[in-house]
Amino acid sequence: MTLPLAAYRLLTRLLEPLAPRLLDARVKQGKEDAVRVDERLGVSRLARPEGDLVWLHGVSVGETLSLLPLVDRFVESRPELTVLVTSGTVTSADLLARRLPPGVIHQFAPVDGPDAVAAFLDHWRPSLGVFVESELWPNLILGAGARRIPLALVSARITEKTAQGWGRIPGSARELLKAFALVMPQDETSADRLKTLGARIDGQVNLKLSGGPLPHDAAAFNALSAAIGDRPVIVAASTHEGEEIAIVRALDRLAERLCLIIVPRHPARGPEIAATLTRDGYCFALRSRGAVPNGETDLYVADTLGELGLFLRLADVVVMGGSFGPVLGREPWGGHNPLEPARLGKPAVTGPDASNWQAVTADLTAAGGLTVVATPGDLPGMVLPLLGDPNAARAMGDRGRRAAAEAGAGLDRLWEALQPLLPPVRQ
């Protein structure tokens, strides 16, 4: 073990007795689940099922949702295996409670203290661990290695800043990355950075490109569709601070009456968005308060969790949020997944900042399923022709759907690469 890793292990062992107090403080802040907070210390109320168990880990919402296609593949192809999914945030746990197939177990990931990690690994005894993205927690990785648990790092994305940080302790980075039997970054840039840090690259896969359309509640869809009536629907999906009011003002210039549904990336911002709209004199309905759009309401703030699939299905046109930050004087958010509307055959428009989705945005744009605009003020010029020509909008959505299907082929490559690491099928 390198000196920095040994020092990290000693420091975390010394600080670990403070973990319960820190977790209690996070419970009071709403950042931990009061009922399940002991899971963060590696303690579970659930008994481990008999037989082999595979463990899939993602940190927050985006990472854990990207795991769902792989979870489904395990359930379909290896039903004798128990699947354990861990994540680190309350929001991700809430979403997974709705989305995980029956029989799949969710637990909160342990904090990276030696005792918490040991308790977690000794209880669950996984036959394989699959980590998504690139958070390298030394105690967790080294603890799994000490128990001869094969590990895979897949759909890995590492930023330049993170790579520079690990580059200051190259021996430690190399030791941690060598603990992975399989490393599959999500793009060439991350592959180069991980290779420089000492990883052996076994191919590329981006799990966020895999999977089918987001789920929805059919009864809720029927109710909202009836409430909206025959008005055209524009959905502003995964918006951030400042984008909502900019999009509302831009589309307010359209003469045609429509229903604009705002789905903020962070639903807790609902009251903040409501205050901004009220300040500017807009009438709206707030979904978190049980309101639905009626004949007098053309603006609907969908500040609830896990319902994006519902609202995308209602859309005639989708505007991707998180893509206008720099032009609004905000930080760059990097855009959000344009495959979500594409999988449903919805024509979509995005702003200029798609740095987190460059390749996907380029492919969808080249296929004719996505349009990029420079500012929110350019939206009316793109949206109006699509609303006025349903056949053109449908054709654009179909092009996006085909491009999304082509982008999602990586799951098969990953499944094949995992086969040597999986426990054998028991007869």
Side-chain angles (χ1 to χ4, degrees):
M1 184 182 298
T2 64
L3 182 59
L5 289 178
Y8 175 86
R9 187 167 179 82
L10 175 60
L11 181 62
T12 52
R13 186 173 295 283
L14 292 172
L15 294 177
E16 196 166 19
L18 299 176
R21 186 177 301 175
L22 294 175
L23 289 169
D24 286 343
R26 286 175 57 84
V27 167
K28 294 177 181 177
Q29 296 168 357
K31 296 180 179 180
E32 301 287 346
D33 186 323
V35 176
R36 300 174 55 188
V37 69
D38 284 350
E39 293 174 20
R40 301 287 273 154
L41 300 174
V43 178
S44 177
R45 299 183 182 188
L46 301 179
R48 183 197 187 281
E50 295 295 326
D52 293 317
L53 178 146
V54 294
W55 162 39
L56 312 180
H57 173 67
V59 180
S60 58
V61 172
E63 294 82 10
T64 48
L65 289 183
S66 76
L67 278 170
L68 289 175
L70 183 58
V71 171
D72 290 337
R73 182 64 64 90
F74 271 110
V75 171
E76 295 165 3
S77 302
R78 294 293 301 271
E80 82 283 3
L81 297 175
T82 296
V83 179
L84 169 71
V85 178
T86 58
S87 65
T89 66
V90 173
T91 304
S92 64
D94 290 343
L95 280 172
L96 288 172
R98 300 186 183 98
R99 300 284 300 276
L100 286 177
V104 175
I105 300 170
H106 173 264
Q107 294 281 275
F108 285 103
V111 298
D112 200 46
D115 291 341
V117 165
F120 173 85
L121 293 174
D122 290 344
H123 177 77
W124 292 107
R125 306 187 309 280
S127 302
L128 168 67
V130 180
F131 293 7
V132 173
E133 299 280 340
S134 58
E135 280 204 355
L136 302 179
W137 292 107
N139 287 321
L140 195 59
I141 294 169
L142 296 175
R147 291 163 176 78
R148 300 185 181 278
I149 301 167
L151 297 177
L153 179 62
V154 305
S155 197
R157 176 176 175 268
I158 183 168
T159 65
E160 178 63 26
K161 181 179 180 181
T162 300
Q164 289 176 353
W166 282 111
R168 298 187 186 99
I169 46 173
S172 299
R174 187 161 48 250
E175 182 173 348
L176 291 179
L177 290 170
K178 291 298 184 185
F180 290 96
L182 177 71
V183 178
M184 297 184 73
Q186 64 178 239
D187 53 45
E188 195 65 40
T189 301
S190 290
D192 290 342
R193 289 168 181 165
L194 287 166
K195 191 183 300 182
T196 299
L197 292 174
R200 186 194 73 249
I201 305 302
D202 303 292
Q204 294 181 25
V205 64
N206 188 343
L207 281 176
K208 289 182 178 178
L209 308 187
S210 302
L214 293 173
H216 77 296
D217 183 316
F221 173 86
N222 292 334
L224 281 172
S225 183
I228 293 169
D230 59 0
R231 285 172 285 172
V233 176
I234 298 176
V235 171
S238 299
T239 56
H240 289 252
E241 182 180 2
E243 287 187 313
E244 294 91 5
I245 192 62
I247 292 171
V248 168
R249 288 170 178 165
L251 296 179
D252 205 24
R253 302 204 308 266
L254 292 176
E256 183 174 8
R257 189 179 179 211
L258 53 84
C259 180
L260 173 60
I261 301 177
I262 296 171
V263 188
R265 180 66 173 179
H266 304 291
R269 293 187 51 247
E272 168 197 325
I273 297 168
T276 300
L277 294 174
T278 300
R279 180 201 66 198
D280 283 22
Y282 288 101
C283 296
F284 59 91
L286 205 62
R287 185 163 179 80
S288 62
R289 296 177 184 168
V292 295
N294 55 35
E296 303 301 320
T297 307
D298 295 333
L299 185 55
Y300 193 43
V301 180
D303 56 336
T304 50
L305 190 64
E307 291 193 300
L308 182 57
L310 164 64
F311 300 112
L312 289 179
R313 280 174 172 82
L314 291 165
D316 293 293
V317 180
V318 176
V319 177
M320 294 303 302
S323 61
F324 293 103
V327 299
L328 296 175
R330 309 278 180 166
E331 62 179 297
W333 297 299
H336 293 296
N337 190 351
L339 292 171
E340 291 173 339
R343 289 180 184 130
L344 289 163
K346 301 295 182 178
V349 183
T350 187
D353 179 21
S355 54
N356 290 339
W357 298 92
Q358 285 181 345
V360 175
T361 297
D363 289 345
L364 285 174
T365 303
L370 178 70
T371 299
V372 180
V373 297
T375 70
D378 298 322
L379 288 172
M382 289 296 171
V383 168
L384 188 59
L386 291 171
L387 296 181
D389 189 345
N391 289 331
R394 192 177 304 109
M396 182 178 178
D398 287 341
R399 292 192 293 268
R401 196 200 314 265
R402 289 193 294 272
E406 293 174 6
L411 181 61
D412 292 333
R413 295 196 304 272
L414 172 59
W415 184 248
E416 183 177 351
L418 287 174
Q419 296 312 299
L421 306 180
L422 290 173
V425 178
R426 300 184 186 276
Q427 301 299 326

